[in-house]
Amino acid sequence: MEYAELRRRLVERLVREGIIKSRSVREAFLKVPRELFVPEDLRRAAYDDTPLPIGYGQTISAPHMVAIMVEELELEKGLRVLEIGTGSGYQAAIMAEITGPEGIVYTVERIPGLAEKARRNLEAAGYAGRVEVIVGDGSKGYPEAAPYDRIVVTAAAPSIPPPLVEQLKPGGILVAPVGDRYMQRLVKAVKKRDGSLDARSGVYCLFVPLIGEYGWPG
Ligand code: SAM
């Protein structure tokens, strides 16, 4: 079966299950070719709703988990987004599709080889101009381009890294898996005018660890 048909079936299922809720997320999932973000020998599994290995012991998150995170972010056209944990670059492409040419997605990856691969994937999928991939410890954020309207962490953090709160605009939304190495809950937090966070814990999840100064030791 063609990738476009497999993609359509997956999106239909995520809509039916109530995971994809908004039109913008649905359209982005229909547009971004996940097969270009997984290793070539795993392309036939690109539209299974499961995480897949991408090398260096890391994974591309399952489509339903990307959908949950992106829905929680309440993305709109023109927003400045920071992602911590580029991985394959797939989620960055989904977010860039929603924020449009007037928006920008910065994404930080600690493993240089993965960042390079993600740049190539993004280029192949047509998102190179809208996503900037940075190599570094994203637990410290990316102060060079702050402040951000939205921040998403795609690796498990022991707690929300304080630099990310600083780099978020008042009224901005942060989404991150927070917990121990074996189980986390997806936290959604809105930054209040006084600089504090209004946070609530959502679904249980399992992510690879955020390794860095405000994450876990490597
Ligand atoms: N969003 C990615 C995608 O669409 O493919 C999946 C991300 S994967 C689950 C988590 C990524 O976070 C891994 O690539 C890992 O190397 C990265 N990571 C872990 N700690 C990090 C840190 N301190 N700074 C930046 N990236 C980090």
Side-chain angles (χ1 to χ4, degrees), residues 33-197:
R34 192 170 188 256
E35 70 272 16
L36 295 185
F37 293 86
V38 304
E40 245 170 81
D41 57 332
L42 292 176
R43 279 192 180 162
R44 63 188 154 66
Y47 293 100
D48 294 353
D49 190 10
T50 176
L52 292 169
I54 52 171
Y56 304 88
Q58 306 302 321
T59 52
I60 175 173
S61 306
H64 74 270
M65 192 43 73
V66 177
I68 292 171
M69 284 190 279
V70 174
E71 287 285 6
E72 293 281 48
L73 283 168
E74 300 175 30
L75 295 173
E76 291 160 26
K77 290 222 175 299
L79 294 188
R80 288 173 80 76
V81 179
L82 175 66
E83 178 189 44
I84 309 306
T86 312
S88 66
Y90 175 72
Q91 185 167 340
I94 290 277
M95 296 191 294
E97 185 57 42
I98 301 173
T99 55
E102 45 296 44
I104 176 115
V105 177
Y106 294 91
T107 179
V108 187
E109 173 55 55
R110 64 177 280 272
I111 301 173
L114 269 186
E116 195 40 52
K117 237 187 198 174
R119 280 193 197 105
R120 286 202 299 271
N121 296 343
L122 287 159
E123 170 99 52
Y127 293 96
R130 298 198 218 164
V131 179
E132 193 172 315
V133 180
I134 298 116
V135 176
D137 174 8
S139 75
K140 297 191 278 192
Y142 183 55
E144 288 83 345
Y148 304 97
D149 299 293
R150 302 288 187 264
I151 299 181
V152 60
V153 184
T154 67
S159 57
I160 295 175
L164 300 187
V165 183
E166 278 158 36
Q167 292 168 34
L168 186 64
K169 288 183 191 173
I173 298 175
L174 181 148
V175 171
V178 177
D180 61 30
R181 277 189 178 229
Y182 307 102
M183 194 193 285
Q184 305 96 37
R185 290 188 76 176
L186 197 66
V187 171
K188 175 177 184 171
V190 179
K191 185 168 173 175
K192 295 195 280 189
R193 300 280 147 196
D194 65 5
S196 65
L197 286 184

